[in-house]
Amino acid sequence: MSSLFVRTLREDPADAEVPSHRLLVRAGYIRRAAPGIYTWLPLGLRVYRNVERIVREEMDAIGAQELQFPALLPREPYEATNRWTEYGDGVFRLKDRKGADYLLGPTHEEMFTLAVKDLYSSYKDLPVWLYQIQTKYRDEARPRAGLMRGREFVMKDSYSFDVTDEGLEASYQAHRDAYVRIFDRLGFDYVVVEATSGAMGGSRSEEFLARLEVGEDTFVSSPGGYAANVEAVRTPAPAPLPWDDAPAAHVEDTPDTPTIATLVDHLNAAHPRDERPWTAADTLKNVLLVLTHPDGTREPLAIGLPGDREVDQKRLEGQLEPIAVEAMDDEELRKHPTLVKGYIGPGVLGEGAASGIRYLVDPRVSEGTRWVTGADEPGRHVLDLVCGRDFTPDGTIEAAALREGDPAPDGSGPLSLARGIEMGHIFQLGRKYAESLGLQVLDENGKLVTVTMGSYGIGVSRAVPVIAEGNHDELGLCWPRAIAPADVHLVAAGKDPQLLQEAERLAADLSGRGLDVVLDDRPRLSPGVKFKDAELIGVPTIVVVGKGLVDGVVEVKDRRTGERQDVAVGQVVEHLVGLVRG
Ligand code: ATP
Ligand code: MG
């Protein structure tokens, strides 16, 4: 500690909102260089390398081969897949001295696909699994929580190349198994959920989410084992209902009812029903949005959903990616004179209707359902408006926020919601990239066939804050042994030179046995300050060489449980080797 390049801080950094970020900065693991861009200090780099090692070992174990692409990439391959445009503001772009376009790779599907295309030409060469552990660049709109959402970060990305669909399935399964082993070894709480494949296209897809309150993803799970990112949940479409007994739609005066709550109160006062009172779920709310396509074109969109549901922005974006979504502001609204704020109904929505605005509805707004909704006139609503009879939406969209207790789509019980952050994502890309980049091989019959691909990512740098987030207490970090920056933190506690001598001897013996040791040999610091630093830094075992030495013992303390034990000096090396080797 007297020479280690570290300065612990007593104060929390001003820009850190989550505990892992605060602690990693205070304990001297990382330092901010720019928003979303961080330096690994020596302690941090050790933890990071441990994560990297575990990922690499398990990838090698399934027979994936490591290679490394550059981070600085030419435009052309990304043009071929349209991602030069699709990525929009999310990618860092630059020009070389000749004016040629380059980008800093946000992900490398194109490069992997082209490499296989260049080198391989026969089904006999496949399957092949390739991976890299490499720095990615994404100009994230909201870099957050230190390294959790960085603009420069390290990803392990692998790709599988197969001729047949069964081959892809096997490659996918092998990666899935490797991911389970990796995340079990890394030591954090995670859940595997169904996912959407987002901008990548493709079919089967799962995410490994770390279960964390500070995460940006919401996932649902049911008692029957269903688990999915909310973005991937498909609400089952109800069977069509007959409408023969439905009265004709009728417009009513509903003065001063611009909100759902005021409308429901009005309905119960002016149009009471025998069977049950009106609730927000009887109303059809129409939300207006503006979509921005990657090429910059803007387009209005209306979404109809039951009045007791909110639009979940993230879920909606998940469906529309790479299109960006924002609420329609008043200025934009004024450009559509048929829209009456607070009283907008399907009467003017949909392609071909007065506003011409595309109209998508929640799957619960299905054929035969009856609604109270805006009549497109101030202070008026229409009742008994039947979907399929009185209006026909342009399609459905999963944009409504899910709620605790909603039924699981597979009938496996009520859903509960929780938060998480994506640590890994595996999906079957299929033939999309191979098709756009022309990756074909000759099959057994000498016929050219398009290769099918899988894509598998892990947030290697993200793992460090994620593990820290799940492994800390009010005093500091408590690393799991597998990724801790050292095995033992040895504190020479006291001024007596004999204490330091003994601590140094122990440190040397432990190193001799292959253990990594942090030795706090700082001569002028009080034991209290040293203990605080040891607790902040979070090495799993703290050994105090102090007062007990006159009785021939040192104290061995478990950082996580706080348990202390006096161990005879003559036995402590063996004792610690036992602890570390488990
Ligand atoms: P997210 O949903 O968190 O934005 P993503 O779906 O964009 O992630 P992928 O393209 O699937 O991410 O990348 C693979 C892995 O890389 C993710 O599972 C995640 O662990 C990690 N990752 C993605 N973006 C970042 C980032 N900005 N900072 C750190 N790690 C990231
Ligand atoms: Mg993902």
Side-chain angles (χ1 to χ4, degrees):
M1 286 296 285
S2 62
S3 55
L4 183 65
F5 190 60
V6 64
R7 280 286 173 275
T8 57
L9 308 173
R10 292 286 158 247
E11 299 298 320
D12 286 333
D15 62 336
E17 319 136 26
V18 305
S20 60
H21 186 190
R22 287 201 285 273
L23 290 171
L24 288 169
V25 172
R26 277 187 46 204
Y29 283 73
I30 60 170
R31 258 174 78 82
R32 197 182 88 130
I37 305 178
Y38 287 82
T39 304
W40 292 110
L41 293 172
L43 283 173
L45 193 58
R46 285 179 149 255
V47 172
Y48 165 77
R49 290 231 167 102
N50 286 334
V51 174
E52 209 186 72
R53 177 176 45 79
I54 289 173
V55 172
R56 181 173 283 121
E57 281 172 9
E58 296 296 342
M59 293 309 297
D60 289 346
I62 60 167
Q65 300 177 57
E66 185 171 3
L67 47 61
Q68 178 119 272
F69 287 103
L72 180 60
L73 300 168
R75 171 179 178 158
E76 289 71 27
Y78 287 79
E79 199 66 79
T81 53
N82 199 33
R83 291 212 292 189
W84 176 261
T85 311
E86 272 183 12
Y87 254 106
D89 290 340
V91 55
F92 286 100
R93 298 158 203 269
L94 54 162
K95 283 191 191 296
D96 71 5
R97 64 173 72 209
K98 298 193 183 110
D101 284 319
Y102 284 81
L103 75 162
L104 293 175
T107 172
H108 283 77
E109 279 78 3
E110 286 80 356
M111 305 311 291
F112 278 90
T113 312
L114 290 173
V116 174
K117 180 181 170 178
D118 279 351
L119 269 60
Y120 279 2
S121 56
S122 160
Y123 74 98
K124 290 186 203 137
D125 298 323
L126 303 181
V128 64
W129 301 342
L130 303 173
Y131 79 99
Q132 63 174 348
I133 297 177
Q134 200 243 20
T135 307
K136 307 280 187 215
Y137 297 86
R138 293 184 186 174
D139 195 0
E140 298 274 0
R142 287 174 291 277
R144 220 187 125 250
L147 289 157
M148 272 199 208
R149 182 168 300 284
R151 296 198 297 161
E152 173 180 292
F153 61 98
V154 178
M155 194 199 289
K156 186 287 296 175
D157 47 336
S158 30
Y159 297 87
S160 63
F161 299 85
D162 281 274
V163 178
T164 63
D165 293 350
E166 301 75 60
L168 170 57
E169 188 60 38
S171 296
Y172 181 90
Q173 194 56 45
H175 280 83
R176 194 184 191 283
D177 295 345
Y179 274 40
V180 168
R181 285 190 290 270
I182 289 169
F183 294 131
D184 285 349
R185 284 180 68 184
L186 287 180
F188 62 88
D189 186 18
Y190 69 92
V191 48
V192 189
V193 303
E194 273 178 38
T196 48
S197 37
M200 309 290 180
S203 52
R204 182 169 172 203
S205 166
E206 289 166 292
E207 281 169 358
F208 291 71
L209 300 181
R211 238 187 269 266
L212 280 185
E213 231 3 82
V214 301
E216 288 168 74
D217 284 291
T218 307
F219 68 95
V220 293
S221 51
S222 78
Y226 175 82
N229 192 311
V230 291
E231 292 178 16
V233 175
R234 293 286 158 268
T235 311
L241 298 169
W243 60 64
D244 328 326
D245 64 332
H250 45 111
V251 174
E252 302 291 344
D253 282 328
T254 55
D256 298 326
T257 56
T259 63
I260 304 279
T262 51
L263 174 62
V264 169
D265 287 346
H266 174 89
L267 291 169
N268 282 317
H271 304 272
R273 293 194 299 197
D274 295 339
E275 62 276 26
R276 58 187 179 86
W278 296 97
T279 69
D282 298 310
T283 69
L284 173 62
K285 152 164 100 180
N286 298 297
V287 178
L288 285 154
L289 303 161
V290 178
L291 310 185
T292 308
H293 293 265
D295 65 1
T297 32
R298 288 161 67 83
E299 177 201 353
L301 175 73
I303 293 182
L305 69 166
D308 62 336
R309 300 260 165 190
E310 300 304 322
V311 169
D312 176 338
Q313 178 90 8
K314 235 187 145 243
R315 204 159 173 245
L316 177 59
E317 281 168 348
Q319 320 300 310
L320 296 173
E321 217 180 339
I323 296 167
V325 190
E326 64 196 291
M328 188 184 282
D329 60 17
D330 286 347
E331 194 190 328
E332 183 77 28
L333 198 69
R334 278 194 290 274
K335 293 185 195 156
H336 304 276
T338 54
L339 301 180
V340 183
K341 195 177 177 184
Y343 300 92
I344 298 165
V348 295
L349 300 173
E351 279 156 11
S355 74
I357 295 176
R358 192 148 70 97
Y359 184 44
L360 301 177
V361 296
D362 183 77
R364 293 172 194 84
V365 185
S366 56
E367 193 170 309
T369 52
R370 300 166 199 190
W371 302 97
V372 179
T373 189
D376 305 303
E377 297 172 67
R380 305 192 85 193
H381 280 87
V382 52
L383 279 67
D384 290 308
L385 193 78
V386 177
C387 181
R389 180 189 71 180
D390 304 320
F391 68 102
T392 309
D394 297 320
T396 59
I397 188 161
E398 296 280 359
L402 292 164
R403 288 195 303 235
E404 202 67 32
D406 278 346
D410 64 353
S412 61
L415 295 175
S416 17
L417 274 71
R419 308 275 287 174
I421 182 161
E422 188 184 315
M423 272 304 306
H425 191 175
I426 53 177
F427 51 98
Q428 302 191 353
L429 274 180
R431 297 186 167 81
K432 174 180 160 169
Y433 285 92
E435 233 146 53
S436 46
L437 296 166
L439 169 57
Q440 292 188 314
V441 294
L442 292 171
D443 72 4
E444 288 152 308
N445 308 315
K447 205 172 97 235
L448 271 178
V449 290
T450 300
V451 168
T452 180
M453 294 167 56
S455 158
Y456 318 91
I458 289 181
V460 180
S461 53
R462 176 178 281 181
V464 175
V466 162
I467 296 167
E469 197 62 41
N471 294 279
H472 68 84
D473 59 20
E474 64 292 345
L475 302 173
L477 297 158
C478 318
W479 294 109
R481 207 167 269 296
I483 68 146
D487 299 310
V488 175
H489 189 127
L490 204 53
V491 178
K495 294 215 168 61
D496 187 344
Q498 216 202 319
L499 295 176
L500 179 58
Q501 247 174 35
E502 186 56 26
E504 279 173 337
R505 192 188 60 77
L506 270 180
D509 285 358
L510 291 168
S511 301
R513 296 292 299 274
L515 267 53
D516 278 328
V517 183
V518 172
L519 168 63
D520 198 342
D521 56 350
R522 292 175 293 182
R524 273 174 299 277
L525 289 187
S526 74
V529 169
K530 292 183 176 181
F531 295 153
K532 273 210 167 64
D533 274 349
E535 274 151 352
L536 181 60
I537 288 170
V539 172
T541 305
I542 299 169
V543 175
V544 183
V545 183
K547 291 195 289 284
L549 197 61
V550 290
D551 306 318
V553 295
V554 295
E555 185 184 88
V556 176
K557 189 174 146 186
D558 184 300
R559 169 65 186 91
R560 186 183 299 269
T561 63
E563 251 168 74
R564 299 152 191 267
Q565 191 187 351
D566 282 340
V567 179
V569 176
Q571 281 152 25
V572 72
V573 171
E574 228 34 68
H575 178 84
L576 293 170
V577 169
L579 275 185
V580 172
R581 304 260 184 267

